[in-house]
Amino acid sequence: MKGKIDTIIFDLGGVLVDWKPEYVYRKIFNGDEEKVQWFLNTVCTSKWNIEQDTGRTIKEAVKLKVAEFPQYEKWIRVFYKEWGHMFSGPISENVKLFKQLKASGNYKIYALTNWSAEKWELALELFPFFNDFDGVVVSGQEKTRKPFPEIYKIILDKYNITPENTIFIDDNYDNILTSNKLKLNGIHYKSPSQLLKFLSPFNLNF
């Protein structure tokens, strides 16, 4: 730890809310897990989805994917039509932590998320506590995403954040590697108990 912590930046999906396309496709494929994984690893892949997090429109994304796999058009269109049902809900322990940190008044609390700009308003409806951050940077709105350094620099500059005084929490290891290069105190999130353990050395007051 290089400085007194005054700022905490949370990732959203995988840290504060649980999002998995499997929740929708398991219903579509009647619980056939092999078929679910085949579809998500071959057709509607994470590589395809993340381009929407970088600013590509959903309309364009669906058009490209349907052209590639016309026989699966119906299932492809489901991805964004049923996107809101890909959440199981908030990760309660971490949301409680977020609210405690915020209520303490000792820290500025921000979110840095890879998220489609077109789905951000729905996200705010699904999870009203997203409005409680001191600020949020959404990749789809910025046209760049984690782990590219540009988006970290956007949030640091926008909110006048000192990296050495900041904890960054994310479930994607590549995102943590970039944060550490930029002198943020990155924590690779794996579970609520692990997060508390890794926060302990910072002696946060909340």
Side-chain angles (χ1 to χ4, degrees), residues 6 99-109 134 205-206:
D6 58 23
K99 290 182 176 180
Q100 288 175 331
L101 288 164
K102 187 76 171 66
S104 76
N106 295 321
Y107 310 98
K108 289 290 187 178
I109 313 291
D134 291 300
N205 182 17
F206 62 97

Side-chain angles (χ1 to χ4, degrees), residues 150-193:
E150 290 78 12
I151 197 164
Y152 298 81
K153 292 174 183 176
I154 287 170
I155 194 169
L156 294 175
D157 292 345
K158 185 174 183 178
Y159 299 112
N160 194 29
I161 295 168
T162 302
E164 293 89 343
N165 297 350
T166 302
I167 296 170
F168 172 68
I169 303 163
D170 199 295
D171 66 322
N172 184 306
Y173 185 60
D174 288 338
N175 298 344
I176 294 300
L177 289 177
T178 300
S179 75
N180 289 339
K181 288 176 183 176
L182 296 173
K183 300 183 179 179
L184 291 151
N185 297 282
I187 293 178
H188 182 209
Y189 172 80
K190 294 181 181 179
S191 72
S193 59

Side-chain angles (χ1 to χ4, degrees), residues 12-20 88-97 127 129 189 191-192:
L12 296 180
V15 175
L16 290 179
V17 296
D18 179 35
W19 179 87
K20 291 186 178 71
S88 70
I91 300 173
S92 58
E93 299 97 327
N94 298 340
V95 175
K96 179 182 178 182
L97 172 66
F127 306 108
F129 74 89
Y189 172 80
S191 72

Side-chain angles (χ1 to χ4, degrees), residues 88-157:
S88 70
I91 300 173
S92 58
E93 299 97 327
N94 298 340
V95 175
K96 179 182 178 182
L97 172 66
F98 155 70
K99 290 182 176 180
Q100 288 175 331
L101 288 164
K102 187 76 171 66
S104 76
N106 295 321
Y107 310 98
K108 289 290 187 178
I109 313 291
Y110 300 102
L112 177 60
T113 184
N114 285 353
W115 209 288
S116 165
E118 293 175 78
K119 292 297 184 182
W120 183 242
E121 287 302 318
L122 177 56
L124 294 175
E125 292 176 20
L126 290 171
F127 306 108
F129 74 89
F130 284 1
N131 291 289
D132 297 337
F133 287 95
D134 291 300
V136 179
V137 169
V138 178
S139 65
Q141 296 173 347
E142 303 295 341
K143 304 295 193 291
T144 185
R145 62 171 173 82
K146 299 175 289 184
F148 302 132
E150 290 78 12
I151 197 164
Y152 298 81
K153 292 174 183 176
I154 287 170
I155 194 169
L156 294 175
D157 292 345

Side-chain angles (χ1 to χ4, degrees), residues 14 21 24 36 38 60 65 69 74 102 136 151 162 172 200:
V24 165
V36 169
W38 174 85
E60 178 64 15
K65 192 54 66 172
F69 294 99
K74 180 180 177 182
K102 187 76 171 66
V136 179
I151 197 164
T162 302
N172 184 306
S200 181

